[in-house]
């Protein structure tokens, strides 16, 4: 069974930083993708950042380029994905979800939520003065 557990959300003022973590267990595939999505009420989930096994360059939503960084660490069968969010803006306010796929999706597919089988529980990020 694959489990994703998120941590690190919170409330900050504009310009500040937060780091989200996603601990993944049970994902046994050598090829995989990890991504962060965000969602505000009554809107579809939006891909924020994606990273893939065997591919060094991650992908980002245009509005977060230069501010957000996705990374992963792996220790045996446990994967941890991070989303470092700097210079946060009020429009970054959303519930953030980590997602995992047992495929290496790449640049063309990473932002489509339907390609991800496994999801975290969500972490609220609120940016407000």
């Amino acid at each position: 069974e694959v489990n994703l557990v998120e941590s690190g959300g919170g409330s900050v003022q504009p310009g500040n930083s937060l780091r989200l973590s996603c601990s993944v267990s049970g994902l046994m595939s050598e090829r995989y993708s990890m991504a962060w999505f965000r969602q505000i009420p009554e809107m579809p989930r939006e891909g924020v950042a994606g990273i893939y096994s065997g591919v060094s360059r991650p992908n980002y939503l245009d509005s977060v380029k230069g501010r957000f960084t996705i990374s992963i660490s792996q220790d045996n069968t446990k994967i941890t994905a991070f989303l470092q969010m700097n210079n946060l803006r009020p429009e970054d306010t959303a519930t953030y979800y980590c997602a995992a796929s047992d495929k290496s999706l790449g640049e063309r597919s990473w932002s489509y939520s339907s390609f991800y089988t496994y999801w975290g529980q969500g972490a609220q990020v609120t940016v407000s003065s």
Side-chain angles (χ1 to χ4, degrees):
E1 182 181 1
V2 178
N3 286 302
L4 280 66
V5 179
E6 299 180 41
S7 60
S11 296
V12 296
Q13 293 185 334
N16 284 358
S17 300
L18 281 173
R19 188 173 84 153
L20 301 178
S21 300
C22 177
S23 178
V24 185
S25 59
L27 187 64
M28 305 302 292
S29 175
E30 291 186 358
R31 296 172 64 84
Y32 61 87
S33 299
M34 295 294 305
W36 290 93
F37 286 77
R38 66 187 181 188
Q39 188 172 27
I40 59 175
E42 300 182 7
M43 294 295 288
R45 289 184 184 182
E46 175 181 57
V48 175
I51 192 167
Y52 336 103
S53 59
V55 178
S56 60
R57 189 181 73 173
N59 290 104
Y60 296 94
L61 179 69
D62 283 347
S63 64
V64 308
K65 286 180 180 177
R67 300 189 297 123
F68 289 15
T69 303
I70 186 172
S71 61
I72 54 174
S73 66
Q74 186 167 6
D75 179 12
N76 293 325
T77 60
K78 184 175 179 181
I79 300 167
T80 305
F82 302 96
L83 185 67
Q84 177 67 42
M85 304 182 291
N86 297 329
N87 191 20
L88 282 160
R89 303 169 180 170
E91 54 264 38
D92 296 320
T93 296
T95 302
Y96 283 71
Y97 297 89
C98 67
S101 168
D102 57 4
K103 298 177 177 60
S104 184
L105 294 175
E107 184 173 358
R108 293 184 180 180
S109 304
W110 75 272
S111 63
Y112 292 91
S113 60
S114 58
F115 285 132
Y116 296 86
T117 305
Y118 311 104
W119 291 85
Q121 80 277 17
Q124 180 64 36
V125 171
T126 302
V127 185
S128 174
S129 55

